[in-house]
Amino acid sequence: MKSVLGAFFSAAMIVFLCLASGPLLSSQPGYQSAEQSFTGYLIVQEEGKFRVEKEEYVKFQVVDGEIKGLRIHLKAATGDLTFNDCYALIKDGSNFADWFQIECRQLGGFGGKTVTYESYLAGAYAGISPPVVPSYSMYQTLKKVASTLGLPVPARTFVIYGQERSPIYEFFCYEEGAKDLRGLK
């Protein structure tokens, strides 16, 4: 009987130590959480020419694949906005699921604040691209636009769509601390 209780106690102690050490491991120098911070600037196309609108921007973090701290600053709103529901897309063969990794819905005020915005944003939703690498379907297009602006290829894109399922805003997003962004600062 003692050996059964002893074995149970030993197993329980091992489980407890493993669970308790999780927070300790995350504070250890060798532990890495997948966290990236991005700032995106509005890209505007007028009469076939592109320009950067730095006064309108988006900021967010990707933490272990989830979007955190999404903050959208637009002239079309009385305060900063956010999308309250962001989730990974399932690859279903659609263009949207091919272009974007994450979809965001439920536009509201950042930090729960009351905000009003232009009516064309009612029902808006957004897509956040996967990392923009040469194998990404939109890579060549993004590279060409970035080149005309004198910018490097963005790390990700953030695109807001309106009720008509047409893009309203497109942001080129760069990881915080990225080099060669002198034109954006």
Side-chain angles (χ1 to χ4, degrees):
M1 180 71 165
K2 287 184 181 180
S3 64
V4 171
L5 285 176
F8 175 77
F9 179 74
S10 295
M13 197 60 156
I14 290 169
V15 169
F16 172 76
L17 290 173
C18 287
L19 292 173
S21 68
L24 297 174
L25 288 175
S26 65
S27 64
Q28 296 299 317
Y31 179 82
Q32 291 216 329
S33 171
E35 179 176 337
Q36 298 172 295
S37 295
F38 294 92
T39 299
Y41 298 98
L42 181 63
I43 305 301
V44 178
Q45 182 181 11
E46 292 174 336
E47 298 176 12
K49 295 184 181 186
F50 293 95
R51 66 180 170 81
V52 178
E53 182 67 46
K54 292 182 248 180
E55 292 80 30
E56 297 186 86
Y57 56 85
V58 61
K59 291 181 176 266
F60 60 92
Q61 293 82 44
V62 179
V63 180
D64 294 328
E66 292 185 26
I67 301 301
K68 304 285 184 187
L70 176 60
R71 180 179 218 141
I72 308 161
H73 186 82
L74 300 175
K75 293 176 185 175
T78 59
D80 287 348
L81 301 167
T82 191
F83 283 99
N84 294 304
D85 188 19
C86 292
Y87 49 88
L89 285 167
I90 296 169
K91 296 292 181 191
D92 61 5
S94 69
N95 283 340
F96 194 83
D98 185 42
W99 297 332
F100 302 107
Q101 181 178 38
I102 297 166
E103 182 173 359
C104 298
R105 294 206 176 249
Q106 298 181 11
L107 188 63
F110 182 78
K113 294 183 180 176
T114 302
V115 175
T116 59
Y117 46 81
E118 296 292 331
S119 61
Y120 64 83
L121 285 168
Y125 61 99
I128 300 174
S129 74
V132 177
V133 295
S135 61
Y136 174 55
S137 63
M138 298 300 293
Y139 181 83
Q140 290 302 323
T141 300
L142 295 171
K143 181 179 177 182
K144 182 178 178 182
V145 172
S147 176
T148 65
L149 293 166
L151 296 171
V153 176
R156 290 182 180 255
T157 62
F158 182 91
V159 182
I160 299 176
Y161 286 80
Q163 296 171 349
E164 306 298 319
R165 298 173 62 172
S166 296
I168 303 172
Y169 296 99
E170 182 169 5
F171 300 85
F172 277 16
C173 303
Y174 297 92
E175 191 168 357
E176 293 293 321
K179 297 177 183 178
D180 300 327
L181 297 178
R182 291 177 292 277
L184 290 173
K185 303 293 178 187

